[in-house]
Amino acid sequence: MLKRKFLSVFALSAVLLPGFTFAQTGSSTASATGSVAPATYQAPKEIIDRIKEEGSKNSQVMQTLSYLTDVIGARLTGSPALKRANEWTRDTMTKWGMQNAKLEAWGPFGRGWTLKNFDAQVVAPYNIPLIAYPKAWSPSTRGALTADVVLFNPKTDADYEKYKGKLKDKIVLMSDARPLKVEDKPLSARMTDEELTKMAGAPDPASVQRPQQAAATPEQMQQRMQSFVQGAKRASFLMQEGASVLIDVSRGGSGGTIFVQGATVSQTIPANVTDFAALRRSFVQPQQKEAEAKMIPQMTLAAEHYNRLVRMLNQGENLKMTVNIQAEYSDADPMAYNTVAEIPGSDPKLKDEVVMLGGHMDSWHAGTGATDNAAGVSVAMEAARIIQSLGLKPRRTIRVALWSGEEQGLFGSSNYVTQHFGEMQNAPTRATAAPGTTPTPPTLTKKPDYEKLSAYYNLDNGTGKIRGVYMQGNSAAAPIFRTWLEPFKDMGATTITLSNTGGTDHQSFDKIGLPGFQFIQDGIEYDTRTHHSNQDVFDRIQSDDMKQAATIMAAFVYQTSMMDEKIPRKTIK
Ligand SMILES: [Zn+2]
């Protein structure tokens, strides 16, 4: 799942402007509320029972997960490890009897990055081993470098003056200590009946004036832009002053859990910026080749260790550290790849139509991307394997898609959707909704296959089992999904919510009006421990939850393939 610092992760459909909203269409039975749903195909109990049995007794989901995480390891987009995962998943699905398994290129994305060697410790006044990880795409240090450690925490523009000429070759701590509070809440909690009931009663998001939908005031926009500009300014200043290594404190977590993402690039900020969105777009991303000259080697430190170093400096101690970051960029191929594979449809009239399922295969690099998102990949593969191994004959073609570049902005799925289905030009986002301006009306350009996709099902909220489905405001599909959840009540999946959820690949479909769904999942340790951290590893995966999710996904995908009609869509009016 994607997490952005400055752009909200809620569904894009939540910010669609007036005059461009998706509404329901369908063609069979009209409900009392006016929404329309086609007749629901319901698989016979015998088939659902076989799916459940295959998913529990012969499950491969944990073997798949272990290979992706333990054997292949972290899968940063552009890296040789992700390419290996692309190829391994392609070959595995072929071995299972699936067809047309292949890699599909998108891009250019940029360069890959692989850590080759890393070591960091305090060496004076005495040795202190440290829990630390380099940030993705950080440049290498020139061998192991030893330097003084200094604290850099300017609060005002005037404060920068105090640091001028004092940072050359220094190892720089980038902020004050982050105070830790006692962990008085459990790291993991399953959704309660109360929470699920509340979700089930949530209104259609299109009917709700969300607070975010109200245009930001000029002051708020200015503030947002300022904080962005300040971050860029700090990086540029440190670059100019010749700091040798940057260290930040893990933004969350404690007890050895560190959250680590991409390196900070020093940016050129034009004077008198007014267009925040344009400014963001102009920023160089760390995976771009040109970023290398604009980055200082950098790493993230565990909070307890970081805080101690800050306190020692504040006590007047002189600290020296030795840091050795050796990483390799891969520039041979700037493209990135999604893996796709199919179970061909069997109905002469419907086999050209497609039901898709998937999750993203790329990860951050400090852990092994287990809950984010080898879990979703393994579950989607397993769902297809269940259908394939039972010899079920789907009427429509079932296509698994394992995305890349999700962590940098849903790139793999959005490029795939553009290549195959269509594109929304001028799609409004929160960042472009500048106050006092009239946005260009969005337009949708469709490809022929736009009419051939029934639905896309995504899993990317960690290891927690499925509790229901987010409908993204598609009320016409709700009765169908409600019927399909019936046989899984005893497995804890009961809830249909009209609400949107964001931050992951179903949005690439939803954005152009195609039915794209993310399942509701229990938040097992996701935000507290694993999501983008060094502890996102196989041991944090709950095997029973994974089996449950694969079984439900298999049943949803199979039944979608068997419907007389496609899943109803939200249409543009
Ligand atoms: Zn993520």
Side-chain angles (χ1 to χ4, degrees):
M1 186 174 180
L2 170 73
K3 187 182 183 92
R4 283 178 176 163
K5 280 184 219 155
F6 292 94
L7 189 61
S8 78
V9 293
F10 63 80
L12 283 170
S13 52
V15 290
L16 287 170
L17 300 175
F20 195 83
T21 52
F22 290 112
Q24 316 305 322
T25 56
S27 55
S28 297
T29 40
S31 76
T33 58
S35 67
V36 182
T40 303
Y41 168 84
Q42 196 174 5
K45 183 177 179 303
E46 178 256 338
I47 293 208
I48 297 293
D49 286 347
R50 285 173 65 201
I51 289 174
K52 284 182 175 176
E53 185 165 313
E54 181 67 22
S56 61
K57 299 221 172 99
N58 300 324
S59 180
Q60 297 287 314
V61 72
M62 295 304 279
Q63 283 87 334
T64 306
L65 240 153
S66 171
Y67 200 92
L68 282 168
T69 58
D70 298 326
V71 180
I72 296 177
R75 302 169 305 282
L76 195 68
T77 298
S79 69
L82 181 55
K83 191 73 182 294
R84 184 180 170 196
N86 282 129
E87 288 163 356
W88 182 79
T89 49
R90 174 196 63 197
D91 296 346
T92 300
M93 288 191 282
T94 301
K95 237 182 266 169
W96 289 346
M98 294 175 67
Q99 295 184 27
N100 307 324
K102 61 184 173 187
L103 273 51
E104 286 195 32
W106 60 270
F109 166 75
R111 57 203 333 209
W113 181 88
T114 306
L115 190 60
K116 293 291 177 184
N117 191 7
F118 174 61
D119 180 42
Q121 53 194 308
V122 173
V123 293
Y126 47 82
N127 183 275
I128 306 175
L130 298 170
I131 306 177
Y133 289 83
K135 300 179 87 163
W137 290 285
S138 166
S140 301
T141 53
R142 277 188 205 151
L145 69 87
T146 301
D148 292 330
V149 181
V150 297
L151 179 63
F152 177 67
N153 57 353
K155 303 285 189 288
T156 63
D157 280 358
D159 284 350
Y160 280 86
E161 289 300 316
K162 292 192 289 194
Y163 291 101
K164 278 213 166 130
K166 291 182 183 155
L167 300 172
K168 179 133 188 64
D169 298 330
K170 303 290 194 237
I171 294 173
V172 177
L173 303 181
M174 297 280 287
S175 67
D176 292 324
R178 177 170 71 79
L180 296 180
K181 297 193 182 99
V182 66
E183 305 276 3
D184 56 358
K185 293 196 186 82
L187 289 176
S188 174
R190 295 198 181 270
M191 299 190 87
T192 62
D193 289 347
E194 207 181 355
E195 285 168 324
L196 290 167
T197 305
K198 200 174 158 201
M199 288 178 87
D204 182 342
S207 71
V208 182
Q209 179 74 22
R210 295 174 62 120
Q212 292 95 328
Q213 215 165 346
T217 63
E219 292 73 29
Q220 284 169 330
M221 285 302 288
Q222 195 59 29
Q223 243 176 23
R224 250 180 243 164
M225 199 155 74
Q226 273 312 315
S227 92
F228 214 66
V229 168
Q230 279 307 324
K233 187 177 166 184
R234 288 163 72 88
S236 300
F237 182 81
L238 290 160
M239 192 93 208
Q240 276 162 23
E241 293 294 311
S244 65
V245 176
L246 307 184
I247 303 179
D248 63 7
V249 59
S250 176
R251 63 175 160 78
S254 62
T257 298
I258 309 184
F259 295 86
V260 197
Q261 292 182 231
T264 301
V265 183
S266 133
Q267 310 284 353
T268 314
I269 308 286
N272 303 321
V273 186
T274 51
D275 188 341
F276 181 42
L279 175 68
R280 286 188 76 254
R281 280 196 301 272
S282 76
F283 276 13
V284 180
Q285 300 301 314
Q287 67 269 20
Q288 290 172 258
K289 205 169 177 177
E290 65 193 282
E292 187 177 352
K294 299 168 187 265
M295 288 188 289
I296 298 169
Q298 50 196 284
M299 61 191 213
T300 300
L301 196 52
E304 293 88 341
H305 289 171
Y306 185 94
N307 292 349
R308 179 183 176 192
L309 300 192
V310 171
R311 287 189 297 265
M312 287 175 80
L313 290 174
N314 288 342
Q315 293 271 13
E317 286 292 287
N318 293 320
L319 296 178
K320 276 188 197 299
M321 274 178 74
T322 298
V323 177
N324 186 15
I325 300 174
Q326 298 305 317
E328 192 173 272
Y329 293 110
S330 352
D331 287 316
D333 181 3
M335 302 301 279
Y337 299 86
N338 300 316
T339 300
V340 296
E342 293 181 342
I343 303 172
S346 61
D347 184 318
K349 286 204 190 96
L350 295 179
K351 66 182 168 48
D352 289 341
E353 292 186 1
V354 182
V355 183
M356 292 186 67
L357 68 160
H360 73 90
M361 192 147 61
D362 64 301
S363 76
W364 287 106
H365 58 294
T368 56
T371 69
D372 188 18
N373 184 23
V377 166
S378 306
V379 163
M381 285 172 69
E382 174 68 6
R385 190 201 65 77
I386 291 170
I387 294 166
Q388 174 76 27
S389 71
L390 291 177
L392 301 177
K393 293 276 170 262
R395 294 174 70 191
R396 289 179 182 79
T397 293
I398 291 171
R399 185 183 299 155
V400 173
L402 311 174
W403 313 115
S404 51
E406 193 271 355
E407 296 295 359
Q408 287 73 38
L410 316 183
F411 293 153
S413 58
S414 66
N415 276 277
Y416 183 91
V417 165
T418 302
Q419 287 170 16
H420 289 261
F421 300 124
E423 189 174 11
M424 185 75 76
Q425 274 92 18
N426 308 314
T429 66
R430 196 178 169 196
T432 56
T437 58
T438 314
T440 323
T443 49
L444 174 61
T445 313
K446 296 178 187 175
K447 295 256 167 81
D449 281 358
Y450 186 85
E451 303 306 334
K452 292 187 181 160
L453 181 83
S454 179
Y456 169 68
Y457 299 98
N458 191 70
L459 199 85
D460 183 23
N461 288 178
T463 188
K465 71 180 173 186
I466 289 177
R467 307 304 303 272
V469 191
Y470 291 100
M471 298 309 299
Q472 306 293 134
N474 186 341
S475 57
I480 303 171
F481 288 1
R482 204 165 278 127
T483 305
W484 291 350
L485 282 181
E486 279 292 321
F488 298 101
K489 265 190 177 150
D490 60 341
M491 295 166 83
T494 54
T495 302
I496 296 293
T497 180
L498 285 176
S499 296
N500 294 321
T501 189
T504 185
D505 294 298
H506 68 291
Q507 285 182 286
S508 299
F509 294 79
D510 187 55
K511 189 168 69 174
I512 63 163
L514 291 174
F517 304 102
Q518 159 70 35
F519 291 96
I520 303 167
Q521 295 175 253
D522 278 334
I524 307 291
E525 298 183 315
Y526 195 60
D527 290 329
T528 51
R529 178 145 46 194
T530 63
H531 180 207
H532 300 182
S533 85
N534 62 333
Q535 298 298 342
D536 191 5
V537 295
F538 182 88
D539 299 272
R540 305 258 72 88
I541 296 287
Q542 305 302 311
S543 65
D544 287 348
D545 288 47
M546 294 283 88
K547 289 177 192 169
Q548 184 258 24
T551 301
I552 293 173
M553 211 177 196
F556 266 65
V557 166
Y558 174 68
Q559 290 176 109
T560 306
S561 82
M562 298 301 285
M563 295 267 291
D564 285 339
E565 293 178 49
K566 295 190 292 266
I567 296 294
R569 296 179 176 192
K570 302 187 281 185
T571 54
I572 300 153
K573 63 175 183 184

